[in-house]
Amino acid sequence: MRKTYFTPGPAELFPTVEQHYRDAFDLQLGSISHRSAQFRKIYQHTVEQLRTLMNIPESSGIFFTGSATEIWERIIQNTVEFESFHLVNGSFSKKFYDFSSELGKFAHKYEKPFGEGFDYAEIQVPQYSELICTTANETSSGVQMRPAEIHKLKRGNKDKFVAVDMVSSAPYPDLDFELIDTAFFSVQKSFGMPAGLGCWIANPSMLDKAKSLKKNDGIIGTYHTLPSLWKNFEKFETPETPNVMGIYVLGKVAEDMNKIGIETIRKETERKAKMLYDFATKCDYLDIFVQNPEHRSQTVVVVNTVGKPAAEIIDAVKTSDNMVIGSGYGDFKATQLRIANFAAVNIEQVESLIEVMKKL
Amino acid sequence: MRKTYFTPGPAELFPTVEQHYRDAFDLQLGSISHRSAQFRKIYQHTVEQLRTLMNIPESSGIFFTGSATEIWERIIQNTVEFESFHLVNGSFSKKFYDFSSELGKFAHKYEKPFGEGFDYAEIQVPQYSELICTTANETSSGVQMRPAEIHKLKRGNKDKFVAVDMVSSAPYPDLDFELIDTAFFSVQKSFGMPAGLGCWIANPSMLDKAKSLKKNDGIIGTYHTLPSLWKNFEKFETPETPNVMGIYVLGKVAEDMNKIGIETIRKETERKAKMLYDFATKCDYLDIFVQNPEHRSQTVVVVNTVGKPAAEIIDAVKTSDNMVIGSGYGDFKATQLRIANFAAVNIEQVESLIEVMKKL
């Protein structure tokens, strides 16, 4: 019996994904050379559709990696000589911070408790940090940082790079890619694809910094340095043999999303999020976890369970109606639920989930 | 019209691959958590099938990356403090060597002209090299290094790690994994899968070295260090969200290959290689490129074209019979052909290719 996944990643597949993979097999894309005109057209199409969908300027490069986790590493290697600064409020923003230390950099952090978010006014950026790492959506706690706050952070720190982790929110946040320097996501969240592909957007000043670090004998990596990725990107190629089918399907899903329209997707996301938060407010056994409404994620709704163990709710929903909702992250596994509100689930599916949960 | 790919990677898909992907979609593997029991069973199954197929001991870890290119980088980061040594005789062994320098190590090389191979007796290993990098099959030139020679190299250098690039030959070479320290491949070659997954086999002494480097403030990476990969591997998990479907399908293909039997696959590979080399010997417009028969690859047959441009042959074969053969690599594009002889193409298909080429 087919399940509907409201898990925050991997998540429900976007409705067209399986057919796009079938088409990819019919086109024998698993066998084509990544140095062929056929592959270059695929890469170009995916780039064009993503530019339209997320309003990414022509000047920015768009690259592919094995995962978004890899991109944390690559951003630090390529843009930080000595110091980075991280806004930490959950497990994933913490890992980005940890990576910087592991790569031998001096990593500063401004940390808030799990469930709290950041606004520009309160952030003090350490003077010598070269890179500011923000998280548009902290998947572990369901906290968002609004694009307006991220934009203020860049305007107030024009001499520093601003990186935005959009892993569990892209393409929802309306980020100004003329302003921020770099952002990234993985395909198994809001794009509703099988995992195994990260997507990295970076502007030319990031490339310049990487080149200058390398020139001064810095170690910035090998095949996935920005100079290597960018040189290949200019001809729509990749340094290594990439996940060709994933790149093809991402372009097709972005094209499908462009047909729906990003404004429609954003409005539906907000409408579904409101339905879920409203239900949690009324429901006896649920409480909204994130107190500040402006910090509440629109794509991953996190709720506390009251008087019922989270596992009991998860099991009941799965057993009765084949719907899969996520447990809380780490220490919150027993007492929280995470409900993904990605583009792959529609309003009717969210309504069904709410109906099922009402009956518990 | 469906083509048959005799290209050396990406290559013809193994006959069962598309069905395994369909099954993966039916099982909704694109949506399952990589921290679930369901995923751990998949990882474990793939590991067990690979152990059987390639005779990998229980003590070795088996890990997944985005590509084999990534594994070049990870091996150097995790096992080399100061010096590595590389047997270089083509574009890919050269890249492995370049990566070491890019990562700030002192990289030694013993280089031979394109088309020539290595035997143990002639190799002088620099005293302080910590790692010896060999290539079981140089995809660019069609030169193999025989397992017996690789084994002698390790026996003669027990204090150094020996790494084997099996990218375009696994599972064909009968390597002794009790002896060599590490090997790796990517799935789009002889395993006949769509690209986007690398597989890395390493023994516990590699892990020990990585731990000791880290302890002494060495920078060995972040999520894809051996300590991080191994800790996750012990519970059949991965540090990041991996290519779940790829890992599943690799396990299924390895299982299919085990049903055929590795000895049968090896014999058929040798029989098909002999057919192709014999044909090249007799054919007016072809010459075998690799002079020493013992250095001739069994999985990637490289031939010089005589009196006919390579592109004309490639086009004729494609136009008349929908068969795709590879061009020479780099500078040899105009004057060489590379014909992949992976497990995905059977004896009848190789016979058909030869029949078609006879008529040219």
Side-chain angles (χ1 to χ4, degrees), chain B residues 138-153:
Chain B
E138 173 55 61
T139 323
S140 62
S141 62
V143 172
Q144 70 174 348
M145 184 162 176
R146 288 165 299 159
E149 299 302 307
I150 295 172
H151 297 157
K152 282 184 219 162
L153 190 56

Side-chain angles (χ1 to χ4, degrees), chain A residues 52-278:
Chain A
T52 302
L53 186 69
M54 296 169 70
N55 201 17
I56 301 164
E58 281 294 328
S59 54
S60 289
I62 301 181
F63 318 109
F64 300 107
T65 65
S67 63
T69 303
E70 183 186 344
I71 303 171
W72 289 337
E73 184 180 273
R74 302 308 181 190
I75 287 177
I76 292 160
Q77 284 177 318
N78 279 268
T79 59
V80 180
E81 187 171 10
F82 301 112
E83 300 187 22
S84 64
F85 173 58
H86 303 256
L87 298 175
V88 174
N89 62 339
S91 310
F92 296 100
S93 44
K94 172 75 165 39
K95 276 192 192 169
F96 200 174
Y97 163 80
D98 291 339
F99 275 27
S100 187
S101 307
E102 286 188 81
L103 292 169
K105 318 297 179 185
F106 191 92
H108 303 267
K109 65 176 166 176
Y110 174 35
E111 191 161 11
K112 282 208 167 179
F114 202 79
E116 294 187 21
F118 298 99
D119 291 317
Y120 170 63
E122 62 188 336
I123 300 167
Q124 303 263 358
V125 180
Q127 187 177 0
Y128 295 110
S129 37
E130 298 146 79
L131 170 73
I132 303 171
C133 298
T134 70
T135 305
N137 195 67
E138 174 54 62
T139 322
S140 62
S141 63
V143 172
Q144 70 173 347
M145 184 163 178
R146 288 165 300 159
E149 300 301 306
I150 294 171
H151 297 156
K152 281 184 217 160
L153 190 58
K154 174 65 194 185
R155 282 195 204 97
N157 295 277
K158 290 209 166 149
D159 61 327
K160 301 178 197 317
F161 291 116
V162 168
V164 186
D165 178 336
M166 305 178 77
V167 166
S168 57
S169 55
Y172 169 74
D174 191 6
L175 282 172
D176 182 351
F177 282 92
E178 296 279 5
L179 194 58
I180 64 154
D181 299 284
T182 188
F184 55 96
F185 61 88
S186 47
V187 300
Q188 75 276 10
K189 309 279 186 181
S190 223
F191 282 90
M193 287 172 52
L197 186 68
C199 182
W200 183 14
I201 303 146
N203 70 15
S205 52
M206 301 263 297
L207 174 64
D208 292 343
K209 175 78 181 268
K211 281 181 178 168
S212 118
L213 287 177
K214 187 166 184 176
K215 207 172 158 189
N216 295 317
D217 293 326
I219 290 169
I220 62 169
T222 59
Y223 70 117
H224 273 180
T225 62
L226 274 176
S228 166
L229 285 164
W230 209 299
K231 193 179 139 203
N232 280 278
F233 163 70
E234 280 172 350
K235 44 186 178 176
F236 293 114
E237 288 190 12
T238 56
E240 83 292 18
T241 314
N243 183 341
V244 175
M245 283 203 180
I247 294 170
Y248 167 81
V249 175
L250 177 60
K252 289 292 172 182
V253 169
E255 187 181 345
D256 295 333
M257 288 183 169
N258 281 324
K259 282 177 192 153
I260 298 167
I262 187 66
E263 280 317 311
T264 304
I265 290 172
R266 285 183 180 139
K267 274 184 201 145
E268 283 191 4
T269 301
E270 286 160 10
R271 192 173 149 202
K272 290 182 297 169
K274 188 171 183 308
M275 287 162 62
L276 288 163
Y277 283 121
D278 284 353

Side-chain angles (χ1 to χ4, degrees), chain B residues 317-351:
Chain B
V317 171
K318 192 188 285 174
T319 310
S320 68
D321 292 82
N322 282 298
M323 289 174 175
V324 186
I325 49 180
S327 61
Y329 194 88
D331 293 343
F332 295 86
K333 195 178 169 74
T335 57
Q336 291 190 343
L337 303 174
R338 289 184 299 158
I339 301 172
N341 175 36
F342 296 148
V345 291
N346 60 31
I347 287 173
E348 290 69 35
Q349 286 168 313
V350 171
E351 277 172 351

Side-chain angles (χ1 to χ4, degrees), chain B residues 15 20 30 60 77 83 96 123 151 183 197 227 241 243 257 262 266-267 269 274 276 299 316 325 337 344 351:
Chain B
H20 290 316
S60 290
Q77 284 178 318
E83 300 188 22
F96 200 175
I123 300 167
H151 297 157
L197 186 68
T241 315
N243 183 343
M257 288 182 171
I262 187 66
R266 285 182 180 140
K267 274 184 201 146
T269 301
K274 188 171 185 306
L276 287 163
T299 50
I325 49 180
L337 303 174
E351 277 172 351

Side-chain angles (χ1 to χ4, degrees), chain B residues 71-261:
Chain B
I71 302 170
W72 289 337
E73 184 180 273
R74 303 307 182 190
I75 287 177
I76 292 161
Q77 284 178 318
N78 280 268
T79 58
V80 180
E81 186 170 11
F82 302 112
E83 300 188 22
S84 63
F85 173 59
H86 304 256
L87 299 176
V88 175
N89 62 340
S91 309
F92 296 100
S93 43
K94 173 72 165 43
K95 276 190 192 171
F96 200 175
Y97 163 79
D98 291 339
F99 275 26
S100 187
S101 307
E102 287 187 80
L103 292 169
K105 316 298 178 188
F106 190 91
H108 304 266
K109 65 176 166 178
Y110 173 36
E111 192 161 9
K112 283 210 169 177
F114 202 79
E116 294 187 21
F118 299 99
D119 291 316
Y120 170 64
E122 62 188 337
I123 300 167
Q124 303 263 357
V125 181
Q127 187 178 0
Y128 296 111
S129 37
E130 298 146 78
L131 170 74
I132 303 171
C133 299
T134 70
T135 305
N137 194 67
E138 173 55 61
T139 323
S140 62
S141 62
V143 172
Q144 70 174 348
M145 184 162 176
R146 288 165 299 159
E149 299 302 307
I150 295 172
H151 297 157
K152 282 184 219 162
L153 190 56
K154 174 66 195 184
R155 282 194 205 99
N157 295 276
K158 289 208 167 150
D159 61 327
K160 303 178 196 313
F161 292 116
V162 168
V164 186
D165 179 336
M166 305 178 77
V167 165
S168 56
S169 56
Y172 170 73
D174 191 6
L175 283 171
D176 182 351
F177 282 93
E178 297 277 6
L179 194 58
I180 63 154
D181 300 284
T182 188
F184 54 95
F185 61 86
S186 47
V187 299
Q188 76 276 8
K189 309 279 187 181
S190 222
F191 282 90
M193 287 173 51
L197 186 68
C199 182
W200 184 14
I201 302 145
N203 71 13
S205 52
M206 301 265 295
L207 174 65
D208 292 343
K209 175 76 182 268
K211 281 181 177 168
S212 118
L213 287 178
K214 188 168 183 174
K215 208 172 158 189
N216 295 317
D217 294 326
I219 290 169
I220 62 169
T222 59
Y223 70 118
H224 273 179
T225 61
L226 274 176
S228 166
L229 284 164
W230 209 299
K231 193 179 140 203
N232 280 279
F233 163 70
E234 281 172 349
K235 46 186 176 174
F236 294 115
E237 289 190 11
T238 56
E240 82 292 18
T241 315
N243 183 343
V244 176
M245 283 202 180
I247 295 169
Y248 167 81
V249 174
L250 177 60
K252 289 292 173 183
V253 170
E255 188 182 344
D256 296 334
M257 288 182 171
N258 281 323
K259 282 177 192 153
I260 298 167

